[in-house]
Amino acid sequence: MFAFILRRLLTLIPMLLGVTFLVFVLMSLAPGDFLTPIKMQRDVPAELIAELEREFGLDRPWYVQYGYWLGNVLQLNLGYSWSFKVPVTDLIGSRLFATFLLSLTSLLFAWCIAIPLGVLAAIYKDSIFDRVSSFLAYAALSIPEFFLALLAVWFAAVTGLFPIGGATSIEHDFLSAGGRIADRLYHLVLPTIVLGIGGIAGLMRIMRANFLDAIRSDYVQTARAKGVPEGWVMFKHVLRNAINPLVSAFGFSFSSLLSGALIVEIVMNYPGLGTLIYHSLLREDQFVVLAAIMLSCTMLVLGNLLADICLAWSDPRIRLESRD
Amino acid sequence: MKSIFREVLRRRLGQISLFTRLALYLTALFAGFLATQPVNQQNLDATFHPPTRVTWHDGGLAVRAYRLVDRSGPHYEVIPGEFHRVRLFAPGFDYKLLGLVPMKRHLLQAESPEARLYLLGSDSTGRCVFSRLVYGSRVSLTIGLIGITITLFLGLLVGGLSGYFGGRIDFFAMRGVEFLMAIPSLYLLLALRSVLAPRFSSDQMFIVIVIILSLIGWAGAARVLRGMSLSLRRRQFVLAAESMGQSPLRILRLHILPNLASYLLVAATLSIPGYILGEAALSFLGLGIAEPASSWGLMLSQAQNIKIFMLNFWWLLTPGAAIFVTVIAFNLLGDVLRDVVDPRMKTQ
Amino acid sequence: MRQPAFFFPGFVCFLCLLLSAACSRPPSPLAELPVVPLSEDAETVPFPPGQHGALFVSTMPGDIATLNPLISEDASSGAAISRFLEGLTTLDPETGEIIPRLARSWDISPDGLQFTFHLRRGLVWSDGHPFTSADVVFTWRDAFYTKQLDPATGQPVIDPSTGRPRLRFPSRPAFFQMIEGEEVQVEALDEHTVRFTLPQVYAPFLLFGGGQDILPRHILERHVADGTLLDAWSINTAIHRPRELVGMGAFLLESYRPGERVVFRRNPNYWRRDSEGQRLPYIERIITRIVGDSNASNVAFAQGLTDAEGLQPDNITWISRAAATHDFTIHELGPSNSTSFVWFNLNPGSSPEGRPFVAPHKMRWFSDVRFRQAVSYAVNRQGVVDGVFAGRATALHGYVTPKNRNWHNPDVRRFDYDPARARALLAEAGFVMRGNRLHDAQGNPVEFSLMTNNNNNLRTEMATVFAENMAALGIRVELQFIDFNTIIRRTSESFNYEAALLGLAGGAPDPYASKDILMSDGRLHFWNPQQASPATEWEARIDELMRLIGRELDNDKRRAAFFEVQEIMAEQQPLIFLVTPNEYVGLRNRWQNVQPTPLGGVLWNFDALWARPN
């Protein structure tokens, strides 16, 4: 088990190296740097610009800059944000948390909707309900995320029922502890729905198929033959077995949510990692981009690892091996 | 292949999705004919004009006349009792049918120049949304086709070869594939785009985006194709062909490829929406197709402006509906194809 | 078989834990500050007395990056800093004249080289520490002019490129407070008198030098000593140690949550009072919510969530519908001071590979003043105002917008929309129409590319309108929407472009601030920057006038010179100005003492605004 986890974590290293290297090359190829907007201001003397370029090593070739950066990362120093003027680690913490929270709630949302729907669709197979729900799942799968986010903003703007953007409201700091949690949840509602909807369709279809498989399996037939009540059969035997494969989907869907959050965050103005990356990319704030991309890659690998562990934990027949 | 087609047509969903797609592609092909106005023609006196109502009046088709009531809205009102005649197949502005034949005839044209024929309203500089939507379909519809061709070609090349040869080639190819799959694609997309943008004009940007999207997308296909060619490799007929001394490329082409064809068809159909959505998202973020060219994502980015919602200029959201219809048509067809090609994959 | 069903409730519990962890952090109130009684030198404001205690809620587009005025570059940081720091002088928002702030008065020596400021007596910093001339001297001498020393020799390091000593804390204000590269001598004559001795006559010193934010010596001294001045007052300070952000302004930063909000509270030691002797400001707290863009903040205001908001011209219509419901008024302030313009690349140089920046035949068109004038006549400015800005903008004809009343020359040559005149000018310059395309005398079709930045909706629309206007003349314009960074690189480094559309925000209060744009050796002389000697006669004349504006202390002579600069700019059209959006500010009606002025906006007397506590 530990050997397996260790091996998985070791594969992270070359991957992160490769990814950061690629990003570094790409960003150094991109025109301009974070000083470009400063050059446009009418009262910035040329001496200052030269000074800043020296200070940030922008006059060095990119591979030298990469070397410096790598050395710093090994000492757990993720660098310095040029546009925010603070260490990157300070910047990323709260953003990472916000994105993490959003991903978790959307996952929860997707599960809460998809599992009952999938089960019902399987029980009432080929009924109107089955057809309607599968059509809705289709629709959900086909709506562009950004369009849905746009519609959500529109909904919030027109009805005034939900806040437009942000993770907390203006008076957040002056609320009681319970009020603050409620406030946070209230701001999470729309982004959660928008981000979660895309995941429902896939989960629901898997759930439905699994449930149907389970219904036809031998042990269910046996249980029925023994005269166990139908409801109990469905819950105790069928549902539990049908959920198993979904557990493995957990890790994977988590990592995909994390990157899917990017567009939703930008359109809905949610202060998470996605907005940070987007704005940093536009501002060419190299170290922030590097750190954020590194984090999301790590998240991806950890998500997959989590999925494998979950699967092994829920189904002892599966042993952890380094699969090809 | 013919039987697959017939099989698809036998199903209701198959029919719906095929006909939707047919309609979409015809729209893209005959965009010039369908458009009522040149794609970039502005009218600063008719910005955010509501869709003009087409009615039957006095023995012929006509549109209502509108009057600008409040410029600051802007807000328009129908002038009661005033109509402008419109004609089917009437001459209008010049365009090239299928990009080749110079033509003047359009599906619908207004007779008098004062008439405002905005089937889906106008945008912030008074351009016809309907005409832009029609022209924009070209981007969304071709981007998927070109993208999937590049993806499948690369996937087939890398996946097929590494599955066939195995060993060291396989090892390195698969590590590369895993690497590509591990990168959060949207970030890579953004980074690539910002690097490449200044080197290309807005017309070329289209191609650049397709290439970026397919360069990111081929890894998944390569992985599956490798698995399939690995299993085919051990089958009798391949071994037989090999023992007869046929070259690997020939074996790939003659024996392995045909067996992968049905998978390729399904995979292609199911992954096209990814390209359509990818382009739309990029253009929406202002990183894809740029003005004055038109694409659905780009048109939607105008709708990000809050006043569009507040003043209820709903017609600017129609590109979103167009994307939705297109994507759902491809998804449906992909599912139907999968059912037909491989009933075992069917979700009961 | 294990129980995956446990997994789900466990997951939910985990989520709840996370949430409560996020929310359990208590707000960090600023500990009570010692309050020093008002001095007799405190300024009395000319407004009816009000009531303390109200909460002011606002938004700002974009997060703050720093609270250190030495390194602040963006608008949000600048706005936050200006809440708690102040200068010796400021501009009168009604008349545009220079009026006292922390200095009570000043004398200027007859030769114009010595400025002596008399500071108000008995003023204290927000933490109760006395404000004296030592703080002023510290700001210039230590924060700006400290030299970088060579650790080996102990001597100042000389920059090889400029031949001057290198600064230890190179910053924008530091370079800005040097006059033609020379330092200003600053000395404290006594605790409340400071004398500045300039190396040469510098007309805008009273505004630029006097307006400089003064830094607290007792707080920042140690950062100068250990060399961390540029790292001081970062957003980390704002998050963890807001007490260190000491200032003379009306408000103090109380707490800051990155990406979410900044909270300011009133400075209990502020130095202004009302006619009843109550200490200003009246507002108890300002809660500023950080939002992604101005769209979102406009919406928040329209929903009645905030007290004041700068409104986008194209949003006025729908926001005004909510005015009755949420009890606010939209104040129209007339044309803003941001400009937008098109210019052609007139740089005659060549790339290192020997390729000219602009093809010779295109350079012939661009440098012909008749061509530029024709383009200017063909631009439908009123159409842009009506169509793109829904009528809420003003056509722009010169370098200074009407907002800047003191310096705006209303009588420059105007180029109102007149395509016929444009065609006539083109014909006169030898251009001919062939079919529907314009050709020059040598038979080249007239076409050029125009670049503008891709993240500004209104600018994108202006560019498409410009292209259509040119198409009407038979000129083909290829639009390039590119990242702002790329545009700047092309216009200031590689010069590899033909035409561009950009804008400048924030008209400078003094014409000399525009020297980098207007003078031919300027870095921002857009059409042909950093010329060794002026390329044309009219540029030479502008240089001459600008030098005069820098040296001349008499305001009327300065104005006359700057009016002539504007006339030359209008006649020659090196920058083809388009429009300036009008400025609108919404404010809830509960606020009292509101006196909007075009120059100062609605919130210029922020410290005197009051409302009944909510």
Side-chain angles (χ1 to χ4, degrees):
Chain A
M1 179 85 172
F2 282 110
F4 167 76
I5 295 177
L6 199 68
R7 205 157 43 223
R8 271 307 193 71
L9 290 179
L10 279 180
T11 59
L12 248 178
I13 295 170
M15 201 185 89
L16 289 181
L17 272 180
V19 170
T20 52
F21 184 77
L22 195 68
V23 174
F24 226 95
V25 175
L26 288 177
M27 291 198 63
S28 67
L29 285 177
D33 50 52
F34 81 106
L35 287 178
T36 316
I38 303 180
K39 290 181 190 162
M40 180 64 187
Q41 300 187 354
R42 51 183 116 185
D43 51 353
V44 185
E47 292 98 320
L48 173 61
I49 290 172
E51 199 77 52
L52 288 171
E53 264 171 5
R54 236 191 328 268
E55 189 182 327
F56 287 115
L58 295 176
D59 49 353
R60 306 283 188 85
W62 62 268
Y63 45 84
V64 179
Q65 294 180 30
Y66 183 62
Y68 278 139
W69 180 79
L70 215 56
N72 279 322
V73 168
L74 290 181
Q75 299 161 34
L76 291 181
N77 171 11
L78 289 179
Y80 191 76
S81 160
W82 292 331
S83 51
F84 287 96
K85 288 152 186 121
V86 281
V88 171
T89 32
D90 293 4
L91 202 61
I92 273 183
S94 65
R95 301 302 193 98
L96 181 68
F97 175 78
T99 300
F100 193 62
L101 195 65
L102 174 61
S103 307
L104 279 186
T105 52
S106 4
L107 204 61
L108 189 67
F109 170 75
W111 278 40
C112 285
I113 302 284
I115 291 177
L117 276 187
V119 169
L120 288 175
I123 293 179
Y124 303 106
K125 183 170 170 295
D126 293 330
S127 69
I128 294 288
F129 176 82
D130 186 19
R131 277 159 206 274
V132 169
S133 65
S134 77
F135 175 76
L136 287 183
Y138 243 106
L141 208 61
S142 309
I143 294 188
E145 243 160 19
F146 64 90
F147 187 56
L148 204 61
L150 209 57
L151 290 179
V153 174
W154 175 70
F155 178 75
V158 169
T159 63
L161 287 178
F162 289 100
I164 302 176
T168 54
S169 55
I170 293 172
E171 62 277 6
H172 183 83
D173 278 347
F174 306 96
L175 298 172
S176 64
R180 265 180 264 149
I181 294 183
D183 182 50
R184 190 117 201 172
L185 283 176
Y186 176 53
H187 281 79
L188 271 170
V189 174
L190 281 186
T192 298
I193 294 177
V194 170
L195 193 56
I197 273 183
I200 291 181
L203 278 175
M204 195 192 117
R205 290 162 112 195
I206 300 174
M207 189 65 209
R208 182 175 171 277
N210 289 342
F211 204 85
L212 285 176
D213 274 349
I215 286 180
R216 294 189 195 129
S217 61
D218 297 340
Y219 54 85
V220 172
Q221 306 293 345
T222 318
R224 275 186 179 150
K226 280 198 304 193
V228 179
E230 185 68 13
W232 185 245
V233 172
M234 286 295 167
F235 180 75
K236 170 91 186 169
H237 298 281
V238 180
L239 184 63
R240 284 200 173 163
N241 281 298
I243 281 185
N244 255 355
L246 281 191
V247 175
S248 73
F250 169 80
F252 188 72
S253 55
F254 182 71
S255 51
S256 74
L257 271 176
L258 214 55
S259 62
L262 182 99
I263 285 190
V264 175
E265 282 180 12
I266 293 171
V267 179
M268 305 196 73
N269 186 25
Y270 182 85
L273 208 54
T275 31
L276 183 70
I277 292 183
Y278 178 68
H279 291 297
S280 311
L281 251 174
L282 294 185
R283 288 181 186 172
E284 310 241 335
D285 202 342
Q286 215 159 339
F287 295 150
V288 182
V289 176
L290 283 167
I293 289 187
M294 244 174 55
L295 268 178
S296 42
C297 283
T298 315
M299 212 59 95
L300 195 93
V301 172
L302 290 184
N304 290 342
L305 181 66
L306 198 66
D308 288 343
I309 295 172
C310 284
L311 202 62
W313 170 67
S314 68
D315 189 347
R317 282 169 304 181
I318 299 167
R319 275 172 303 132
L320 292 177
E321 287 165 9
S322 172
R323 285 169 312 170
D324 197 295
Chain B
M1 276 307 176
K2 216 172 226 171
S3 66
I4 292 179
F5 187 68
R6 208 172 297 139
E7 193 66 25
V8 169
L9 267 184
R10 263 187 40 210
R11 291 161 204 245
R12 167 84 64 74
L13 286 178
Q15 289 168 3
I16 295 175
S17 63
L18 265 186
F19 286 124
T20 316
R21 284 186 51 186
L22 191 67
L24 285 167
Y25 278 107
L26 285 178
T27 309
L29 277 177
F30 295 100
F33 173 70
L34 290 169
T36 54
Q37 292 188 18
V39 65
N40 282 325
Q41 182 174 300
Q42 301 176 339
N43 184 350
L44 292 174
D45 287 324
T47 56
F48 297 118
H49 195 284
T52 36
R53 261 175 275 161
V54 181
T55 51
W56 188 262
H57 175 73
D58 223 8
L61 279 177
V63 287
R64 306 298 300 254
Y66 287 78
R67 172 175 56 205
L68 180 61
V69 188
D70 174 15
R71 177 171 292 290
S72 64
H75 181 63
Y76 299 82
E77 259 174 19
V78 174
I79 308 174
E82 212 175 298
F83 292 88
H84 292 290
R85 168 87 49 237
V86 290
R87 286 249 165 110
L88 288 172
F89 306 109
F93 62 94
D94 295 326
Y95 69 100
K96 286 196 172 134
L97 190 67
L98 303 176
L100 298 169
V101 194
M103 285 265 289
K104 264 183 188 303
R105 299 263 156 197
H106 294 267
L107 182 65
L108 204 60
Q109 282 290 301
E111 265 184 1
S112 78
E114 295 101 72
R116 289 183 184 146
L117 183 56
Y118 291 123
L119 293 179
L120 282 176
S122 75
D123 70 359
S124 60
T125 52
R127 295 179 295 195
C128 173
V129 171
F130 175 75
S131 305
R132 288 180 73 72
L133 201 62
V134 166
Y135 274 103
S137 68
R138 292 183 165 174
V139 171
S140 289
L141 290 170
T142 45
I143 212 153
L145 291 188
I146 302 176
I148 202 66
T149 316
I150 301 178
T151 299
L152 285 187
F153 176 75
L154 279 177
L156 206 59
L157 201 70
V158 176
L161 285 179
S162 66
Y164 182 85
F165 287 112
R168 194 161 292 185
I169 298 178
D170 183 36
F171 179 81
F172 284 112
M174 283 307 110
R175 292 297 85 76
V177 163
E178 273 166 17
F179 171 65
L180 267 182
M181 287 177 76
I183 302 177
S185 56
L186 207 55
Y187 307 148
L188 189 66
L189 215 59
L190 288 177
L192 274 174
R193 149 68 223 216
S194 64
V195 170
L196 296 173
R199 290 174 174 71
F200 298 92
S201 77
S202 54
D203 307 338
Q204 295 164 324
M205 211 53 228
F206 170 72
I207 302 297
V208 174
I209 289 166
V210 186
I211 292 174
I212 295 177
L213 283 168
S214 33
L215 282 184
I216 293 174
W218 66 270
R223 209 180 155 94
V224 179
L225 285 168
R226 166 186 170 268
M228 295 180 73
S229 83
L230 200 66
S231 71
L232 284 175
R233 170 93 181 75
R234 307 209 176 96
R235 300 275 279 277
Q236 286 293 323
F237 59 92
V238 175
L239 294 174
E242 209 168 78
S243 64
M244 282 159 62
Q246 285 183 355
S247 77
L249 273 179
R250 197 178 149 81
I251 295 176
L252 264 180
R253 193 163 54 85
L254 286 183
H255 301 288
I256 295 194
L257 194 58
N259 281 291
L260 293 178
S262 57
Y263 164 77
L264 288 180
L265 189 67
V266 175
T269 321
L270 279 177
S271 43
I272 283 178
Y275 291 88
I276 297 176
L277 292 175
E279 180 276 325
L282 268 188
S283 302
F284 179 77
L285 291 177
L287 299 170
I289 311 283
E291 295 271 359
S294 106
S295 108
W296 291 344
L298 179 69
M299 290 172 77
L300 264 184
S301 73
Q302 264 200 5
Q304 253 179 318
N305 196 329
I306 202 76
K307 77 172 173 218
I308 308 292
F309 296 121
M310 291 303 188
L311 298 173
N312 200 12
F313 298 145
W314 55 267
W315 53 90
L316 289 172
L317 289 178
T318 47
I323 296 174
F324 176 63
V325 169
T326 313
V327 168
I328 213 167
F330 274 103
N331 275 342
L332 271 179
L333 187 69
D335 264 25
V336 172
L337 270 177
R338 181 162 58 186
D339 285 359
V340 171
V341 167
D342 185 357
R344 274 169 307 146
M345 281 153 71
K346 188 178 171 189
T347 47
Q348 289 113 339
Chain C
M1 188 174 63
R2 303 269 191 87
Q3 306 298 328
F6 284 143
F7 182 72
F8 200 67
F11 177 63
V12 177
C13 286
F14 177 56
L15 197 70
C16 291
L17 250 164
L18 267 179
L19 261 173
S20 51
C23 301
S24 61
R25 199 180 65 183
S28 60
L30 221 54
E32 276 320 300
L33 294 168
V35 180
V36 177
L38 260 173
S39 87
E40 73 283 2
D41 226 1
E43 192 178 32
T44 307
V45 294
F47 302 103
Q51 200 181 337
H52 281 115
L55 192 69
F56 187 92
V57 182
S58 64
T59 49
M60 69 184 178
D63 206 345
I64 57 173
T66 179
L67 290 150
N68 188 337
L70 275 79
I71 55 172
S72 140
E73 297 295 348
D74 58 306
S76 298
S77 308
I81 290 167
S82 68
R83 289 234 188 283
F84 72 94
L85 288 183
E86 294 209 351
L88 300 177
T89 66
T90 191
L91 268 190
D92 188 316
E94 282 166 311
T95 62
E97 275 159 23
I98 298 165
I99 52 168
R101 198 76 185 161
L102 294 177
R104 189 184 47 195
S105 62
W106 54 84
D107 314 310
I108 305 173
S109 68
D111 61 2
L113 288 177
Q114 285 191 339
F115 287 72
T116 312
F117 290 89
H118 306 285
L119 309 184
R120 288 176 201 276
R121 284 157 197 276
L123 266 48
V124 291
W125 291 93
S126 54
D127 59 355
H129 197 275
F131 167 76
T132 65
S133 53
D135 292 306
V136 182
V137 174
F138 166 80
T139 305
W140 262 263
R141 234 188 244 163
D142 299 315
F144 295 165
Y145 296 156
T146 302
K147 309 287 178 301
Q148 190 179 334
L149 297 181
D150 191 323
T153 61
Q155 293 299 307
V157 181
I158 304 294
D159 192 306
S161 56
T162 59
R164 295 207 175 93
R166 230 182 239 175
L167 296 182
R168 178 126 187 237
F169 309 113
S171 69
R172 170 148 48 146
F175 289 107
F176 187 63
Q177 293 303 349
M178 299 226 231
I179 291 160
E180 308 298 336
E182 299 278 331
E183 288 177 16
V184 177
Q185 300 302 316
V186 192
E187 54 201 315
L189 299 185
D190 63 44
E191 209 172 292
H192 297 105
T193 316
V194 198
R195 188 161 72 199
F196 291 81
T197 309
L198 275 52
Q200 62 187 76
V201 179
Y202 181 63
F205 184 77
L206 197 54
L207 181 63
F208 292 166
Q212 173 63 48
D213 286 336
I214 305 298
L215 304 172
R217 184 174 88 141
H218 64 288
I219 300 288
L220 292 174
E221 214 168 20
R222 62 186 173 90
H223 291 289
V224 170
D226 63 11
T228 58
L229 184 63
L230 297 183
D231 304 324
W233 283 7
S234 67
I235 60 169
N236 259 334
T237 319
I239 299 170
H240 303 297
R241 303 180 304 276
R243 268 196 89 146
E244 284 180 22
L245 298 164
V246 165
M248 291 299 291
F251 295 93
L252 299 173
L253 193 136
E254 183 175 48
S255 70
Y256 165 61
R257 226 172 213 250
E260 294 185 35
R261 86 184 70 77
V262 194
V263 179
F264 287 91
R265 66 169 262 196
R266 81 184 273 274
N267 175 359
N269 286 314
Y270 194 52
W271 51 276
R272 279 156 62 103
R273 63 166 170 225
D274 63 18
S275 54
E276 280 179 4
Q278 293 188 85
R279 204 167 203 158
L280 300 185
Y282 297 121
I283 294 169
E284 185 60 36
R285 274 200 177 79
I286 308 171
I287 303 180
T288 304
R289 167 90 181 267
I290 297 158
V291 295
D293 55 14
S294 40
N295 251 333
S297 54
N298 279 200
V299 171
F301 178 74
Q303 291 179 329
L305 296 176
T306 57
D307 283 299
E309 173 69 20
L311 304 173
Q312 307 260 83
D314 51 339
N315 282 341
I316 299 298
T317 306
W318 63 265
I319 292 178
S320 59
R321 287 181 194 163
T325 327
H326 294 297
D327 196 31
F328 58 75
T329 307
I330 296 176
H331 301 268
E332 172 162 9
L333 302 171
S336 69
N337 56 14
S338 59
T339 58
S340 50
F341 47 85
V342 169
W343 80 91
F344 294 104
N345 185 359
L346 296 181
N347 194 328
S350 306
S351 62
E353 300 89 57
R355 236 188 48 226
F357 295 134
V358 181
H361 67 281
K362 293 191 177 180
M363 185 53 112
R364 260 200 312 277
W365 316 331
F366 298 162
S367 50
D368 187 335
V369 65
R370 288 168 298 184
F371 178 81
R372 298 197 298 266
Q373 288 178 345
V375 168
S376 193
Y377 271 124
V379 176
N380 186 357
R381 294 182 179 82
Q382 199 54 44
V384 173
V385 167
D386 290 342
V388 177
F389 289 88
R392 301 186 195 277
T394 307
L396 193 60
H397 298 281
Y399 178 75
V400 180
T401 76
K403 171 170 180 156
N404 206 338
R405 261 188 308 176
N406 286 356
W407 300 105
H408 169 67
N409 181 352
D411 301 320
V412 298
R413 177 167 175 189
R414 291 164 66 103
F415 290 82
D416 290 312
Y417 183 48
D418 192 349
R421 193 131 177 224
R423 286 195 195 95
L425 267 171
L426 287 173
E428 189 192 318
F431 291 91
V432 284
M433 285 298 277
R434 283 189 208 154
N436 53 3
R437 293 289 304 275
L438 190 73
H439 289 71
D440 67 5
Q442 285 74 31
N444 301 305
V446 181
E447 55 188 15
F448 57 85
S449 62
L450 176 90
M451 57 182 190
T452 190
N453 52 332
N454 53 7
N455 49 0
N456 187 323
N457 252 336
L458 293 174
R459 207 167 279 167
T460 312
E461 283 162 17
M462 275 193 268
T464 57
V465 172
F466 180 82
E468 284 299 301
N469 287 161
M470 291 303 108
L473 291 185
I475 299 173
R476 215 178 71 88
V477 179
E478 190 212 331
L479 294 181
Q480 298 179 328
F481 295 93
I482 35 191
D483 311 314
F484 186 72
N485 283 357
T486 313
I487 295 186
I488 298 307
R489 175 156 283 204
R490 286 204 200 169
T491 56
S492 64
E493 285 170 32
S494 71
F495 304 110
N496 171 27
Y497 72 101
E498 292 177 343
L501 192 167
L502 275 187
L504 282 174
D510 189 277
Y512 201 59
S514 300
K515 76 178 166 87
D516 254 354
I517 298 170
L518 295 173
M519 292 177 77
S520 60
D521 59 352
R523 218 166 30 79
L524 278 176
H525 193 66
F526 292 98
W527 57 95
N528 185 8
Q530 289 171 318
Q531 304 171 27
S533 62
T536 59
E537 269 173 37
W538 56 270
E539 281 175 289
R541 177 67 187 151
I542 291 182
D543 285 2
E544 197 180 315
L545 289 164
M546 288 306 292
R547 274 194 293 272
L548 180 93
I549 290 168
R551 281 195 318 263
E552 180 57 61
L553 290 172
D554 181 67
N555 236 356
D556 293 331
K557 286 188 190 152
R558 298 185 82 207
R559 183 173 298 132
F562 198 50
F563 272 31
E564 194 185 333
V565 170
Q566 292 175 56
E567 277 156 27
I568 298 172
M569 290 288 287
E571 186 60 39
Q572 296 294 335
Q573 293 284 317
L575 302 177
I576 297 166
F577 286 96
L578 305 173
V579 299
T580 176
N582 291 353
E583 215 170 354
Y584 296 86
V585 179
L587 184 67
R588 299 285 288 277
N589 291 334
R590 66 192 191 105
W591 293 98
Q592 311 293 319
N593 282 346
V594 180
Q595 296 181 2
T597 72
L599 211 55
V602 173
L603 298 181
W604 63 273
N605 56 345
F606 203 40
D607 51 4
L609 292 190
W610 66 276
R612 273 170 225 300
N614 24 1

